[in-house]
Amino acid sequence: GEQDLKMIGILQAAHPGVLINNEIVEPNPQHVAAYKELVNQAPDLQGVSFIWHQLTSSEYEQQVKEKCINKKLDFIHMIQMLYRVEDIPNIIKFFHSCLDHQAKLLIIILADSSGWASLWKKYRHCLPSTDSGHYITSDGITAVLRRLGIQYRVHEFPSGWDITECFVEGDPAGGQMMDFLTGTKNFLGTAPPALRRRLQEALCQPECSSKKDGRVIFCNNLSMIVVE
């Protein structure tokens, strides 16, 4: 909910006094609870209503269709969430159908120029087999949009992530970074030494990272796709 509240603040500033109805679709109960807590603590939310749907995107789509709701919204965002969606083309098609006249859908996802894309495509053998999800980047999403005949614009957002501690033996922060990179809890403590070595070597490749002032900076570039 952190980004949502920032966006609501921008909307309030641009449209003072206009009522804002905010619907949240989120399957994780802990995330829903955290968002509600932020709302409870936030000032200046007069005129903003919240409707909570503890559902996956597919479950939400099914609910809307079963109730025959003519859902029309002014703005929809999907920020870093399509990795865990089962049927990406269908979900994009459904939410696009919910856009009102002159409305926008914002998709933020890892860019094809990111180190993640290289890890998933070129260095997949360096990752453990336990991770789940779709290894999809902006090129995969824009390909879906083109197949659906939907207009869009792409804005690249450069981003770097300092992962130097990943290469420091026994560093707690480095261990957590490796867990995040691999989607595996305690990766450094459980992975075979050869796999650990291969991954560390892959992370140092120019397709994945760069070096600045002796630090290793992982390329975390994002694509912001604005759908008409």
Side-chain angles (χ1 to χ4, degrees), residues 171-187:
D171 188 280
Q176 292 177 340
M177 291 179 189
M178 292 295 271
D179 289 358
F180 184 69
L181 282 162
T182 61
T184 304
K185 187 176 181 180
N186 191 25
F187 172 78

Side-chain angles (χ1 to χ4, degrees), residues 8-22:
I8 287 171
I10 292 169
L11 289 170
Q12 286 177 313
H15 305 282
V18 173
L19 298 179
I20 298 174
N21 301 314
N22 186 25

Side-chain angles (χ1 to χ4, degrees), residues 99-116:
L99 293 177
D100 207 344
H101 183 60
Q102 294 186 330
K104 298 285 188 289
L105 165 64
L106 171 65
I107 299 172
I108 298 182
I109 198 159
L110 286 163
D112 213 61
S113 62
S114 69
W116 293 98

Side-chain angles (χ1 to χ4, degrees), residues 110-164:
L110 286 163
D112 213 61
S113 62
S114 69
W116 293 98
S118 296
L119 272 184
W120 295 340
K121 294 175 183 177
K122 189 173 181 179
Y123 300 108
R124 183 72 187 91
H125 63 285
C126 297
L127 297 173
S129 58
T130 52
D131 192 17
S132 61
H134 300 288
Y135 298 111
I136 190 162
T137 55
S138 57
D139 281 9
I141 300 303
T142 55
V144 168
L145 293 171
R146 287 194 298 272
R147 287 199 301 271
L148 293 172
I150 296 173
Q151 293 184 333
Y152 64 88
R153 289 174 287 118
V154 181
H155 305 271
E156 294 295 318
F157 182 78
S159 174
W161 176 26
D162 190 335
I163 60 168
T164 307

Side-chain angles (χ1 to χ4, degrees), residues 119 163 167 178 181 199-205 208-209 218:
L119 272 184
I163 60 168
F167 307 95
M178 292 295 271
L181 282 162
L199 179 57
Q200 288 176 326
E201 289 172 356
L203 289 172
C204 287
Q205 298 305 308
C208 292
S209 62
F218 187 73

